[in-house]
Amino acid sequence: CISELKMSLRSLSSRQSVLSRADGSCLWKQGATEVLAGVYGPIETQGRKREDMNKADLVVQVIPASGTSTPYTTTLQHFLHSMFKGQILLLLHPRTSIRIIVHLINEAGSELSCCCNAITLALVDAGVPMKSMLASVDIAMMTDGELVADPTNEISHERKEGKDLTGQGTGDSKIRALSSFQVNSAGKVVSEWTHVVQSTGSLTSMDEDQYLDAVAMAKNAASKLHNFFKLTTTSKCLYECHGTAF
Amino acid sequence: MEAFKKIYPEEYYRKFLVHSIRPDGRTLTAIRKTIVSAGSITSAHGSSFVKIGTTAVVCGIKAEVGKKQPEGSHLAISVELLPLCSAEFPRGKPSTQAQVLSELLNRFSEGIIDEASFQIPGEDLAWYLYIDIYCLDYNGNVFDATLLALITALSDVSLPDIHINSNKQVVASKERKNKLTILRYPISLTFGMIDEYVICDPTVEEESLHDTTFSIVVDSNRNLLGVIRPGGGGGSDNNGVIEGAELKTCIERAKQRATTVMGLVEQALQEK
């Protein structure tokens, strides 16, 4: 089912059950960044070695837009694996494997967040039991104190010159730190990846108060994303209901 | 007792945590003895050896001269978790963990060295540093050890003077006395979480029992540089969650650790 919604985040678009062979899938767009997640599972493990007597074996693979895997995509894999290991109820499906494959179709900023959101909806589409849905949002902390949710590549990779984003600032604002927060349905930040972004010629560091504001903003944005998840999953059910009524 | 530890390792561990102590006798916030030494590899331009408890990491830096590029980093960091360090790393393709460590170290080393240190005066050439970090003994908290080994080795780097002779060959002076200008020293502190306990500097056994592990990176001037918290497994809803006052306490601990560690680094460079 297709859903579109405009927020203070970039415009969101989600489409589930796009892959015919996967148990669940989701094509997720945030602005220009597009990600396709497919979920297979619970299915047989790949080899006896990976079979765990007590719980399902979670495998996550991230495929970049072009080229083969790099340390960056491996790091994304590692993060996504840790995040979802804590949310999927692996103990309910022992000796099986749950495989998540994410394909980065267009990398235009906030990739980790897009992957996380796409995976959440793909898991719901597949009917994999989870403790909670994870909504992820990237926040850019700028040198003039401003916070930008869901930044594009232009903002997060802007190092050499300052850029005025809102048209109201002094025009000198550069990114000082980039954060990616994952928030569960209870509003708790279960994981994050925060790091300073160095600009050439000057040494930036994080302002801790700005960081705490960023956490609060992330929770706010995440609750909007959770509402969007509800919308997209309910409209999918409605679509199916209408289908059988004919 | 041994049987209980084997069959119920988590319960065994919890019995210690309830009394605010760990199986190796440390309190929940105690960090293992850290040893830092520099300059042990004379053939390298810079080197270091770091031990946190029994976790041992060695770093070697080889500098090469190349054509000046307008963009791009002058550092190429590669972390290898050798089969030597633990049974869990077989021979072959670099493990996920090694790649993640390489990626994280590359990110936190951006901009820490003054660009001018890489320039070779009078020529269209620049220095490029190839940094190899090897874990020799894997007993938990490898991220802290590798980052510490990196900054120590960078502080140890001495480069020769370079000029191009009449045969268009690159000639290096015998003496190496040019040091890098290091603008920032990133230092990390890693924590593990299980139930409601937050535990500093976990060993490899503790890491396998913990719900999640997170690291806080600061610099020697008490600035916050990053929080890496991948989240993780476990029973309760609050797993991997740390916020507000608790997070502030952890950041404070990381800053204290940074001050202690800088002292060790400076001592290592003097003793060389």
CSV table of all heavy atoms in Angstrom, one decimal, chain A residues 77-133:
chain,number,residue,atom,x,y,z
A,77,GLN,N,25.3,-2.3,8.7
A,77,GLN,CA,24.8,-3.7,9.0
A,77,GLN,C,24.9,-4.0,10.5
A,77,GLN,O,24.0,-4.5,11.1
A,77,GLN,CB,25.7,-4.7,8.3
A,77,GLN,CG,25.1,-5.2,7.0
A,77,GLN,CD,26.1,-6.0,6.2
A,77,GLN,OE1,26.3,-5.8,5.0
A,77,GLN,NE2,26.8,-6.9,6.8
A,78,HIS,N,26.1,-3.7,11.0
A,78,HIS,CA,26.4,-4.0,12.4
A,78,HIS,C,25.4,-3.3,13.3
A,78,HIS,O,24.8,-3.8,14.3
A,78,HIS,CB,27.8,-3.6,12.8
A,78,HIS,CG,28.2,-3.8,14.2
A,78,HIS,ND1,28.5,-5.0,14.8
A,78,HIS,CD2,28.3,-2.9,15.2
A,78,HIS,CE1,28.8,-4.8,16.0
A,78,HIS,NE2,28.7,-3.5,16.3
A,79,PHE,N,25.2,-2.0,13.0
A,79,PHE,CA,24.2,-1.2,13.8
A,79,PHE,C,22.8,-1.7,13.7
A,79,PHE,O,22.1,-1.8,14.7
A,79,PHE,CB,24.3,0.3,13.4
A,79,PHE,CG,25.2,1.1,14.2
A,79,PHE,CD1,26.6,1.0,14.0
A,79,PHE,CD2,24.8,2.0,15.2
A,79,PHE,CE1,27.5,1.7,14.8
A,79,PHE,CE2,25.6,2.7,15.9
A,79,PHE,CZ,27.0,2.6,15.8
A,80,LEU,N,22.4,-1.9,12.5
A,80,LEU,CA,21.0,-2.4,12.3
A,80,LEU,C,20.8,-3.7,13.0
A,80,LEU,O,19.7,-4.0,13.5
A,80,LEU,CB,20.7,-2.5,10.8
A,80,LEU,CG,20.7,-1.2,10.0
A,80,LEU,CD1,20.7,-1.4,8.5
A,80,LEU,CD2,19.4,-0.4,10.4
A,81,HIS,N,21.8,-4.6,12.9
A,81,HIS,CA,21.7,-5.9,13.5
A,81,HIS,C,21.5,-5.8,15.0
A,81,HIS,O,20.7,-6.4,15.6
A,81,HIS,CB,23.0,-6.7,13.2
A,81,HIS,CG,22.9,-8.1,13.7
A,81,HIS,ND1,23.3,-8.4,15.0
A,81,HIS,CD2,22.6,-9.3,13.2
A,81,HIS,CE1,23.1,-9.7,15.2
A,81,HIS,NE2,22.7,-10.3,14.1
A,82,SER,N,22.3,-4.9,15.7
A,82,SER,CA,22.2,-4.7,17.1
A,82,SER,C,20.9,-4.1,17.5
A,82,SER,O,20.3,-4.5,18.5
A,82,SER,CB,23.3,-3.7,17.6
A,82,SER,OG,24.6,-4.2,17.3
A,83,MET,N,20.4,-3.1,16.7
A,83,MET,CA,19.1,-2.5,17.0
A,83,MET,C,18.0,-3.5,17.0
A,83,MET,O,17.2,-3.5,17.9
A,83,MET,CB,18.8,-1.5,15.8
A,83,MET,CG,19.2,-0.1,15.9
A,83,MET,SD,18.6,0.6,14.4
A,83,MET,CE,20.1,1.3,13.9
A,84,PHE,N,17.9,-4.3,15.9
A,84,PHE,CA,16.8,-5.2,15.7
A,84,PHE,C,16.9,-6.4,16.6
A,84,PHE,O,15.9,-7.1,16.9
A,84,PHE,CB,16.5,-5.4,14.3
A,84,PHE,CG,15.8,-4.2,13.6
A,84,PHE,CD1,16.6,-3.3,12.9
A,84,PHE,CD2,14.5,-4.0,13.8
A,84,PHE,CE1,16.0,-2.2,12.4
A,84,PHE,CE2,13.9,-2.9,13.3
A,84,PHE,CZ,14.6,-2.0,12.5
A,85,LYS,N,18.1,-6.8,16.9
A,85,LYS,CA,18.3,-8.0,17.8
A,85,LYS,C,17.6,-7.7,19.1
A,85,LYS,O,17.1,-8.6,19.8
A,85,LYS,CB,19.8,-8.1,18.1
A,85,LYS,CG,20.2,-9.4,18.7
A,85,LYS,CD,21.7,-9.5,18.9
A,85,LYS,CE,22.2,-8.6,20.0
A,85,LYS,NZ,23.7,-8.8,20.3
A,86,GLY,N,17.5,-6.4,19.5
A,86,GLY,CA,16.9,-6.1,20.8
A,86,GLY,C,15.3,-5.9,20.6
A,86,GLY,O,14.6,-5.9,21.6
A,87,GLN,N,14.8,-5.9,19.4
A,87,GLN,CA,13.4,-5.6,19.2
A,87,GLN,C,12.6,-6.9,18.7
A,87,GLN,O,11.5,-7.1,19.1
A,87,GLN,CB,13.2,-4.5,18.2
A,87,GLN,CG,13.8,-3.2,18.7
A,87,GLN,CD,13.3,-2.7,20.0
A,87,GLN,OE1,12.1,-2.9,20.4
A,87,GLN,NE2,14.2,-2.3,20.9
A,88,ILE,N,13.3,-7.7,17.9
A,88,ILE,CA,12.6,-8.9,17.4
A,88,ILE,C,12.6,-9.9,18.5
A,88,ILE,O,13.6,-10.1,19.2
A,88,ILE,CB,13.3,-9.4,16.1
A,88,ILE,CG1,13.3,-8.4,15.0
A,88,ILE,CG2,12.7,-10.7,15.6
A,88,ILE,CD1,14.1,-8.8,13.8
A,89,LEU,N,11.5,-10.6,18.6
A,89,LEU,CA,11.4,-11.6,19.6
A,89,LEU,C,12.0,-12.9,19.1
A,89,LEU,O,11.3,-13.8,18.6
A,89,LEU,CB,9.9,-11.8,20.0
A,89,LEU,CG,9.2,-10.6,20.6
A,89,LEU,CD1,7.7,-10.9,20.9
A,89,LEU,CD2,9.9,-10.2,21.9
A,90,LEU,N,13.3,-13.0,19.2
A,90,LEU,CA,14.0,-14.1,18.6
A,90,LEU,C,13.8,-15.4,19.3
A,90,LEU,O,13.8,-16.5,18.7
A,90,LEU,CB,15.5,-13.8,18.6
A,90,LEU,CG,16.0,-12.6,17.8
A,90,LEU,CD1,17.5,-12.3,18.1
A,90,LEU,CD2,15.8,-12.8,16.3
A,91,LEU,N,13.4,-15.3,20.6
A,91,LEU,CA,13.2,-16.6,21.4
A,91,LEU,C,11.9,-17.3,20.9
A,91,LEU,O,11.8,-18.5,21.2
A,91,LEU,CB,13.1,-16.2,22.9
A,91,LEU,CG,14.4,-15.7,23.5
A,91,LEU,CD1,14.1,-15.1,24.9
A,91,LEU,CD2,15.4,-16.8,23.6
A,92,LEU,N,11.0,-16.6,20.2
A,92,LEU,CA,9.8,-17.3,19.7
A,92,LEU,C,10.1,-18.2,18.6
A,92,LEU,O,9.2,-19.1,18.2
A,92,LEU,CB,8.8,-16.3,19.3
A,92,LEU,CG,8.1,-15.5,20.5
A,92,LEU,CD1,7.0,-14.6,19.9
A,92,LEU,CD2,7.4,-16.5,21.4
A,93,HIS,N,11.2,-18.1,17.9
A,93,HIS,CA,11.5,-18.9,16.7
A,93,HIS,C,12.8,-19.5,16.7
A,93,HIS,O,13.7,-19.2,16.0
A,93,HIS,CB,11.4,-18.0,15.4
A,93,HIS,CG,10.0,-17.5,15.2
A,93,HIS,ND1,8.9,-18.3,14.7
A,93,HIS,CD2,9.5,-16.3,15.4
A,93,HIS,CE1,7.9,-17.5,14.7
A,93,HIS,NE2,8.1,-16.3,15.1
A,94,PRO,N,13.0,-20.5,17.7
A,94,PRO,CA,14.4,-21.1,17.8
A,94,PRO,C,14.7,-21.9,16.5
A,94,PRO,O,13.8,-22.4,15.8
A,94,PRO,CB,14.2,-22.0,19.0
A,94,PRO,CG,12.8,-22.3,19.2
A,94,PRO,CD,12.1,-21.1,18.6
A,95,ARG,N,16.0,-22.1,16.3
A,95,ARG,CA,16.5,-22.9,15.2
A,95,ARG,C,16.1,-22.4,13.8
A,95,ARG,O,16.1,-23.2,12.9
A,95,ARG,CB,16.2,-24.3,15.4
A,95,ARG,CG,16.8,-24.9,16.7
A,95,ARG,CD,16.3,-26.2,17.2
A,95,ARG,NE,16.5,-27.2,16.1
A,95,ARG,CZ,15.6,-28.0,15.7
A,95,ARG,NH1,14.4,-28.0,16.2
A,95,ARG,NH2,15.9,-28.9,14.7
A,96,THR,N,15.8,-21.1,13.7
A,96,THR,CA,15.4,-20.6,12.4
A,96,THR,C,16.3,-19.4,12.1
A,96,THR,O,17.1,-19.0,12.9
A,96,THR,CB,14.0,-20.1,12.3
A,96,THR,OG1,13.8,-19.0,13.2
A,96,THR,CG2,13.0,-21.2,12.7
A,97,SER,N,16.1,-18.8,11.0
A,97,SER,CA,16.9,-17.6,10.6
A,97,SER,C,15.9,-16.6,10.1
A,97,SER,O,14.9,-16.8,9.5
A,97,SER,CB,17.8,-18.0,9.5
A,97,SER,OG,18.4,-16.9,8.9
A,98,ILE,N,16.2,-15.3,10.5
A,98,ILE,CA,15.4,-14.2,10.0
A,98,ILE,C,16.4,-13.3,9.3
A,98,ILE,O,17.4,-12.8,9.9
A,98,ILE,CB,14.7,-13.4,11.2
A,98,ILE,CG1,13.7,-14.3,11.9
A,98,ILE,CG2,14.0,-12.2,10.7
A,98,ILE,CD1,13.1,-13.7,13.1
A,99,ARG,N,16.1,-13.2,8.0
A,99,ARG,CA,17.1,-12.4,7.1
A,99,ARG,C,16.5,-11.1,6.7
A,99,ARG,O,15.4,-11.1,6.1
A,99,ARG,CB,17.5,-13.3,5.9
A,99,ARG,CG,18.7,-14.1,6.1
A,99,ARG,CD,19.0,-15.0,5.0
A,99,ARG,NE,18.8,-16.4,5.4
A,99,ARG,CZ,18.7,-17.4,4.5
A,99,ARG,NH1,18.7,-17.1,3.2
A,99,ARG,NH2,18.5,-18.6,4.9
A,100,ILE,N,17.3,-10.1,6.9
A,100,ILE,CA,16.9,-8.7,6.5
A,100,ILE,C,17.9,-8.3,5.4
A,100,ILE,O,19.1,-8.2,5.7
A,100,ILE,CB,16.9,-7.8,7.7
A,100,ILE,CG1,15.9,-8.3,8.8
A,100,ILE,CG2,16.4,-6.4,7.2
A,100,ILE,CD1,16.0,-7.5,10.0
A,101,ILE,N,17.4,-7.9,4.3
A,101,ILE,CA,18.3,-7.4,3.2
A,101,ILE,C,17.8,-6.0,2.9
A,101,ILE,O,16.6,-5.7,2.6
A,101,ILE,CB,18.3,-8.3,2.0
A,101,ILE,CG1,18.8,-9.6,2.3
A,101,ILE,CG2,19.2,-7.7,0.9
A,101,ILE,CD1,17.8,-10.7,2.2
A,102,VAL,N,18.7,-5.0,3.0
A,102,VAL,CA,18.4,-3.6,2.7
A,102,VAL,C,19.2,-3.2,1.5
A,102,VAL,O,20.4,-3.3,1.5
A,102,VAL,CB,18.7,-2.7,3.9
A,102,VAL,CG1,18.1,-1.3,3.6
A,102,VAL,CG2,18.2,-3.3,5.2
A,103,HIS,N,18.5,-2.6,0.5
A,103,HIS,CA,19.2,-2.1,-0.7
A,103,HIS,C,19.0,-0.6,-0.7
A,103,HIS,O,17.9,-0.1,-0.7
A,103,HIS,CB,18.5,-2.7,-1.9
A,103,HIS,CG,19.3,-2.6,-3.1
A,103,HIS,ND1,19.8,-3.6,-3.9
A,103,HIS,CD2,19.7,-1.5,-3.8
A,103,HIS,CE1,20.5,-3.2,-4.9
A,103,HIS,NE2,20.5,-1.9,-4.9
A,104,LEU,N,20.2,0.1,-0.7
A,104,LEU,CA,20.2,1.5,-0.7
A,104,LEU,C,20.0,1.9,-2.2
A,104,LEU,O,20.9,1.8,-3.0
A,104,LEU,CB,21.5,2.1,-0.2
A,104,LEU,CG,21.9,1.7,1.2
A,104,LEU,CD1,23.3,2.2,1.6
A,104,LEU,CD2,20.9,2.3,2.2
A,105,ILE,N,18.9,2.5,-2.5
A,105,ILE,CA,18.6,2.8,-3.9
A,105,ILE,C,19.2,4.2,-4.3
A,105,ILE,O,19.8,4.4,-5.3
A,105,ILE,CB,17.1,2.7,-4.3
A,105,ILE,CG1,16.7,1.2,-4.1
A,105,ILE,CG2,16.8,3.1,-5.7
A,105,ILE,CD1,15.2,1.0,-4.2
A,106,ASN,N,18.9,5.1,-3.4
A,106,ASN,CA,19.5,6.4,-3.6
A,106,ASN,C,19.9,7.0,-2.2
A,106,ASN,O,19.2,7.1,-1.3
A,106,ASN,CB,18.4,7.4,-4.2
A,106,ASN,CG,19.0,8.7,-4.7
A,106,ASN,OD1,20.2,8.7,-5.0
A,106,ASN,ND2,18.2,9.7,-4.8
A,107,GLU,N,21.2,7.3,-2.2
A,107,GLU,CA,21.8,7.8,-0.9
A,107,GLU,C,21.8,9.3,-1.0
A,107,GLU,O,22.6,9.9,-1.6
A,107,GLU,CB,23.2,7.3,-0.7
A,107,GLU,CG,23.2,5.8,-0.6
A,107,GLU,CD,24.6,5.2,-0.5
A,107,GLU,OE1,25.4,5.7,0.3
A,107,GLU,OE2,24.9,4.3,-1.3
A,108,ALA,N,20.8,9.9,-0.3
A,108,ALA,CA,20.8,11.4,-0.3
A,108,ALA,C,20.6,12.0,1.1
A,108,ALA,O,20.0,13.0,1.4
A,108,ALA,CB,19.6,11.9,-1.1
A,109,GLY,N,21.3,11.3,2.1
A,109,GLY,CA,21.3,11.8,3.5
A,109,GLY,C,20.4,10.9,4.4
A,109,GLY,O,19.4,10.4,3.9
A,110,SER,N,20.7,10.8,5.6
A,110,SER,CA,20.0,10.0,6.6
A,110,SER,C,19.8,8.6,6.3
A,110,SER,O,18.7,8.0,6.5
A,110,SER,CB,18.6,10.7,6.9
A,110,SER,OG,18.7,12.0,7.3
A,111,GLU,N,20.8,7.9,5.8
A,111,GLU,CA,20.7,6.5,5.3
A,111,GLU,C,20.4,5.6,6.5
A,111,GLU,O,19.5,4.7,6.3
A,111,GLU,CB,21.9,6.0,4.6
A,111,GLU,CG,22.1,6.6,3.2
A,111,GLU,CD,22.9,7.8,3.2
A,111,GLU,OE1,23.8,8.0,4.0
A,111,GLU,OE2,22.6,8.7,2.3
A,112,LEU,N,21.0,5.7,7.6
A,112,LEU,CA,20.8,4.8,8.7
A,112,LEU,C,19.3,4.8,9.1
A,112,LEU,O,18.7,3.8,9.4
A,112,LEU,CB,21.7,5.1,9.9
A,112,LEU,CG,21.6,4.2,11.1
A,112,LEU,CD1,21.8,2.8,10.8
A,112,LEU,CD2,22.6,4.6,12.2
A,113,SER,N,18.8,6.1,9.3
A,113,SER,CA,17.4,6.2,9.7
A,113,SER,C,16.5,5.6,8.6
A,113,SER,O,15.5,4.9,9.0
A,113,SER,CB,17.1,7.7,9.8
A,113,SER,OG,17.6,8.2,11.0
A,114,CYS,N,16.7,5.8,7.4
A,114,CYS,CA,15.8,5.3,6.3
A,114,CYS,C,15.9,3.8,6.4
A,114,CYS,O,14.8,3.1,6.3
A,114,CYS,CB,16.3,5.7,5.0
A,114,CYS,SG,15.9,7.4,4.7
A,115,CYS,N,17.1,3.2,6.6
A,115,CYS,CA,17.2,1.7,6.6
A,115,CYS,C,16.3,1.2,7.8
A,115,CYS,O,15.6,0.2,7.7
A,115,CYS,CB,18.6,1.3,6.8
A,115,CYS,SG,19.6,1.5,5.4
A,116,CYS,N,16.5,1.8,9.0
A,116,CYS,CA,15.8,1.4,10.2
A,116,CYS,C,14.3,1.5,10.0
A,116,CYS,O,13.6,0.5,10.3
A,116,CYS,CB,16.2,2.2,11.4
A,116,CYS,SG,15.3,1.9,12.8
A,117,ASN,N,13.8,2.6,9.4
A,117,ASN,CA,12.3,2.7,9.2
A,117,ASN,C,11.8,1.7,8.2
A,117,ASN,O,10.8,1.1,8.4
A,117,ASN,CB,12.0,4.1,8.7
A,117,ASN,CG,12.3,5.2,9.8
A,117,ASN,OD1,12.3,4.9,11.0
A,117,ASN,ND2,12.7,6.4,9.4
A,118,ALA,N,12.6,1.5,7.1
A,118,ALA,CA,12.2,0.5,6.1
A,118,ALA,C,12.1,-0.9,6.7
A,118,ALA,O,11.2,-1.6,6.4
A,118,ALA,CB,13.1,0.6,4.9
A,119,ILE,N,13.1,-1.2,7.5
A,119,ILE,CA,13.2,-2.5,8.1
A,119,ILE,C,12.0,-2.8,9.0
A,119,ILE,O,11.4,-3.8,9.0
A,119,ILE,CB,14.5,-2.8,8.8
A,119,ILE,CG1,15.7,-2.8,7.8
A,119,ILE,CG2,14.5,-4.1,9.6
A,119,ILE,CD1,17.0,-2.9,8.4
A,120,THR,N,11.7,-1.7,9.8
A,120,THR,CA,10.6,-1.9,10.8
A,120,THR,C,9.3,-2.2,10.0
A,120,THR,O,8.6,-3.2,10.4
A,120,THR,CB,10.3,-0.5,11.5
A,120,THR,OG1,11.5,-0.2,12.3
A,120,THR,CG2,9.1,-0.6,12.5
A,121,LEU,N,9.0,-1.5,8.9
A,121,LEU,CA,7.8,-1.8,8.2
A,121,LEU,C,7.8,-3.1,7.5
A,121,LEU,O,6.8,-3.8,7.3
A,121,LEU,CB,7.5,-0.6,7.2
A,121,LEU,CG,7.0,0.7,8.0
A,121,LEU,CD1,6.9,1.8,7.0
A,121,LEU,CD2,5.6,0.4,8.6
A,122,ALA,N,9.0,-3.5,7.0
A,122,ALA,CA,9.1,-4.7,6.3
A,122,ALA,C,8.9,-5.9,7.3
A,122,ALA,O,8.3,-6.9,6.9
A,122,ALA,CB,10.5,-4.9,5.7
A,123,LEU,N,9.4,-5.7,8.5
A,123,LEU,CA,9.2,-6.8,9.5
A,123,LEU,C,7.7,-6.9,9.9
A,123,LEU,O,7.2,-8.0,10.1
A,123,LEU,CB,10.0,-6.5,10.8
A,123,LEU,CG,11.5,-6.7,10.7
A,123,LEU,CD1,12.2,-6.1,11.8
A,123,LEU,CD2,11.9,-8.2,10.6
A,124,VAL,N,7.0,-5.8,10.0
A,124,VAL,CA,5.6,-5.8,10.2
A,124,VAL,C,4.9,-6.5,9.1
A,124,VAL,O,4.0,-7.3,9.3
A,124,VAL,CB,5.1,-4.4,10.4
A,124,VAL,CG1,3.5,-4.3,10.5
A,124,VAL,CG2,5.6,-3.8,11.8
A,125,ASP,N,5.3,-6.1,7.9
A,125,ASP,CA,4.7,-6.7,6.7
A,125,ASP,C,4.9,-8.3,6.6
A,125,ASP,O,4.0,-9.0,6.2
A,125,ASP,CB,5.4,-6.1,5.4
A,125,ASP,CG,4.6,-6.5,4.1
A,125,ASP,OD1,3.4,-6.6,4.2
A,125,ASP,OD2,5.3,-6.6,3.1
A,126,ALA,N,6.0,-8.7,7.2
A,126,ALA,CA,6.3,-10.1,7.2
A,126,ALA,C,5.7,-10.8,8.4
A,126,ALA,O,5.6,-12.1,8.4
A,126,ALA,CB,7.9,-10.4,7.3
A,127,GLY,N,5.2,-10.1,9.3
A,127,GLY,CA,4.5,-10.7,10.5
A,127,GLY,C,5.5,-11.2,11.5
A,127,GLY,O,5.2,-12.1,12.3
A,128,VAL,N,6.7,-10.7,11.5
A,128,VAL,CA,7.8,-11.1,12.5
A,128,VAL,C,7.4,-10.4,13.8
A,128,VAL,O,7.3,-9.2,13.9
A,128,VAL,CB,9.2,-10.7,12.0
A,128,VAL,CG1,10.2,-11.0,13.1
A,128,VAL,CG2,9.5,-11.4,10.7
A,129,PRO,N,7.3,-11.2,14.9
A,129,PRO,CA,6.9,-10.6,16.2
A,129,PRO,C,8.0,-9.7,16.7
A,129,PRO,O,9.2,-10.1,16.7
A,129,PRO,CB,6.7,-11.8,17.1
A,129,PRO,CG,7.5,-12.9,16.5
A,129,PRO,CD,7.6,-12.7,15.0
A,130,MET,N,7.6,-8.5,17.2
A,130,MET,CA,8.6,-7.6,17.7
A,130,MET,C,8.1,-7.0,19.0
A,130,MET,O,6.9,-6.9,19.2
A,130,MET,CB,8.8,-6.4,16.7
A,130,MET,CG,9.5,-6.8,15.5
A,130,MET,SD,10.1,-5.3,14.6
A,130,MET,CE,8.6,-4.7,13.9
A,131,LYS,N,9.0,-6.6,19.9
A,131,LYS,CA,8.7,-5.9,21.1
A,131,LYS,C,8.1,-4.6,20.8
A,131,LYS,O,7.1,-4.1,21.5
A,131,LYS,CB,10.0,-5.7,21.9
A,131,LYS,CG,10.1,-6.5,23.2
A,131,LYS,CD,11.3,-6.0,23.9
A,131,LYS,CE,12.5,-6.9,23.6
A,131,LYS,NZ,13.7,-6.5,24.2
A,132,SER,N,8.6,-3.9,19.9
A,132,SER,CA,8.2,-2.5,19.6
A,132,SER,C,8.7,-2.2,18.2
A,132,SER,O,9.6,-2.8,17.7
A,132,SER,CB,8.9,-1.6,20.6
A,132,SER,OG,8.9,-0.3,20.2
A,133,MET,N,8.1,-1.1,17.6
A,133,MET,CA,8.5,-0.7,16.3
A,133,MET,C,9.6,0.4,16.6
A,133,MET,O,9.4,1.2,17.5
A,133,MET,CB,7.3,-0.1,15.5
A,133,MET,CG,6.4,-1.2,15.1
A,133,MET,SD,4.9,-0.6,14.4
A,133,MET,CE,5.5,-0.2,12.7
